[in-house]
Amino acid sequence: MVLGKYKTVVSARSTDKEILEKSQDGGIVTQLFVFALENGYIDGAIVTGIGDRPWKPRPYIATTKEEILAARGTKYNISPNISWIKEATRSFGLDKVGIVGTPCQMQAIRKGQLYPIGLREVPDKIALAIGIFCMENFPYKSIQQLVEDHAGQKMQAVKKMEIGKGKFWVYTERGNVVSLPLKITHKYEQPGCHVCLDYVANLGDISTGSVGSPDGWSTVFIRTKKGEEIWNRAIAAGCFETTPIDQVKPGLELVTKLANEKITKNKKYIEERASYGVNKGLRNPYI
Ligand code: FAD
Ligand code: SF4
């Protein structure tokens, strides 16, 4: 169960070249939101753009294709997307809200739907929750230090950051590519991530990440009935190319291995904390 419940899992990428051009992986998140918006499944989506400093995440509500596209790409910091849910329904008047987030944010959404304290009238308005895989996250200062001090690049010159193949990669607009071994990045991780037991966003309607699929493609878990309906309609509309997951390398085996590694390592940390009386009750009820 380290991969959570799902109906289908495939390797996929968007068929829209404009989406693919600046997307992090296969453009799954952007393509799904655009399709959902254009076909009435959502009337806006809470996405993560860039704020007042280079690569500092800023959540906002996208109600057009252009605004959804403007959020393409991964920002390796916490983006408080959940804090915009009320704003989306009240100030923007959305009745069908799309939202993207990390596994912990998917948990917060589902918890908010079950116990809507402070989220009154909101639970039924979450129309599509897309989870992204997440091994760890970083405070903004840490990303700055990694990019500027370790990789020797200016934040404003960075085109893309990526974690993959055992390294943290920085790509600049001028074509520089710098990679750092993960043993350098570990100490910069956000400490809260070390008690996290979900790698593949078990609670999204659909969840996606690069791991398991070839470069430029994404691994996609379709988890809920709602997710399945939107996914099947998007496939029928020609939005995605897909390949069965058992026909791609490294495939589900690597996703399972990494999920197991995250959970085992963090469980050990939780137990260690429990031994001195902290967070005894922490657990993931889904595994
Ligand atoms: P795109 O079409 O490019 O769209 C990206 C979407 O992600 C945008 O809608 C944007 O709003 C949203 N987004 C960007 N940054 C954030 C953020 N900080 N918080 C919430 N939403 C955001 N994938 C793996 O396979 N393995 C990993 O270990 C892994 N770790 C990750 C760690 C972090 C902190 C984050 C944010 C993502 C991680 N991912 C990981 C997911 C991966 O980097 C891509 O986000 C995912 O594959 C979606 O790619 P895409 O081409 O479909 O998205
Ligand atoms: Fe959230 Fe877990 Fe990712 Fe940290 S590792 S950002 S707690 S999902």
Side-chain angles (χ1 to χ4, degrees), residues 58 60 80 84 95 98 113 122 144 148 153 242 250:
R58 177 183 68 92
Y60 66 91
W84 278 76
D95 289 322
Q113 287 178 308
V122 170
Q144 263 183 321
E148 293 181 349
Q153 306 299 318
T242 63

Side-chain angles (χ1 to χ4, degrees), residues 19 22-31 33 46-49 57 68 71-79 81 100-102 105 132-138 161 163 199 208-212 218 258:
I19 289 179
K22 286 196 178 163
S23 64
Q24 186 73 14
D25 298 308
I28 306 300
V29 179
T30 303
Q31 178 69 81
F33 279 152
I46 303 171
V47 293
T48 300
I68 293 171
R72 285 166 295 173
T74 300
K75 293 93 194 169
Y76 286 98
N77 305 169
I78 284 290
S79 175
N81 293 7
V100 55
T102 48
Q105 292 174 327
I132 46 184
F133 301 177
C134 182
M135 186 60 83
E136 72 279 293
N137 208 342
F138 303 88
M161 292 178 221
I163 296 177
Y199 178 49
T208 185
S210 60
V211 157
S218 299
L258 292 181

Side-chain angles (χ1 to χ4, degrees), residues 55-247:
W55 291 95
K56 190 163 172 64
R58 177 183 68 92
Y60 66 91
I61 294 155
T63 55
T64 63
K65 177 177 178 180
E66 291 66 35
E67 287 168 351
I68 293 171
L69 262 67
R72 285 166 295 173
T74 300
K75 293 93 194 169
Y76 286 98
N77 305 169
I78 284 290
S79 175
N81 293 7
I82 307 286
S83 67
W84 278 76
I85 291 181
K86 265 197 195 168
E87 194 66 12
T89 56
R90 304 214 176 138
S91 306
F92 283 68
L94 305 190
D95 289 322
K96 292 175 277 180
V97 181
I99 184 162
V100 55
T102 48
C104 55
Q105 292 174 327
M106 292 297 113
Q107 289 176 14
I109 290 166
R110 299 313 184 200
K111 197 160 193 176
Q113 287 178 308
L114 283 174
Y115 305 101
I117 301 163
L119 283 181
R120 228 163 8 98
E121 295 165 31
V122 170
D124 298 339
K125 295 187 176 173
I126 304 293
L128 176 60
I130 306 180
I132 46 184
F133 301 177
C134 182
M135 186 60 83
E136 72 279 293
N137 208 342
F138 303 88
Y140 182 68
K141 264 258 165 273
S142 300
I143 285 293
Q144 263 183 321
Q145 271 179 295
L146 288 168
V147 169
E148 293 181 349
D149 300 348
H150 290 279
Q153 306 299 318
K154 290 202 168 80
M155 287 291 278
Q156 58 270 33
V158 174
K159 186 168 80 175
K160 180 176 180 175
M161 292 178 221
E162 186 176 22
I163 296 177
K165 304 186 178 84
K167 292 190 170 153
F168 177 80
W169 299 83
V170 179
Y171 303 86
T172 71
E173 296 287 354
R174 297 183 70 176
N176 295 340
V177 181
V178 186
S179 65
L180 304 172
L182 293 185
K183 68 172 188 288
I184 292 183
T185 62
H186 284 324
K187 75 169 183 195
Y188 290 98
E189 290 164 5
Q190 186 168 258
C193 294
H194 298 152
V195 298
C196 173
L197 301 178
D198 185 351
Y199 178 49
V200 287
N202 295 0
L203 298 185
D205 289 310
I206 292 176
S207 58
T208 185
S210 60
V211 157
S213 288
D215 287 350
W217 288 67
S218 299
T219 301
V220 187
F221 289 94
I222 294 96
R223 299 188 181 279
T224 63
K225 212 169 145 192
K226 193 193 296 172
E228 188 177 43
E229 182 188 332
I230 297 174
W231 180 257
N232 287 345
R233 287 269 322 271
I235 295 282
C239 292
F240 295 105
E241 286 178 73
T242 63
T243 311
I245 199 75
D246 56 5
Q247 286 175 28

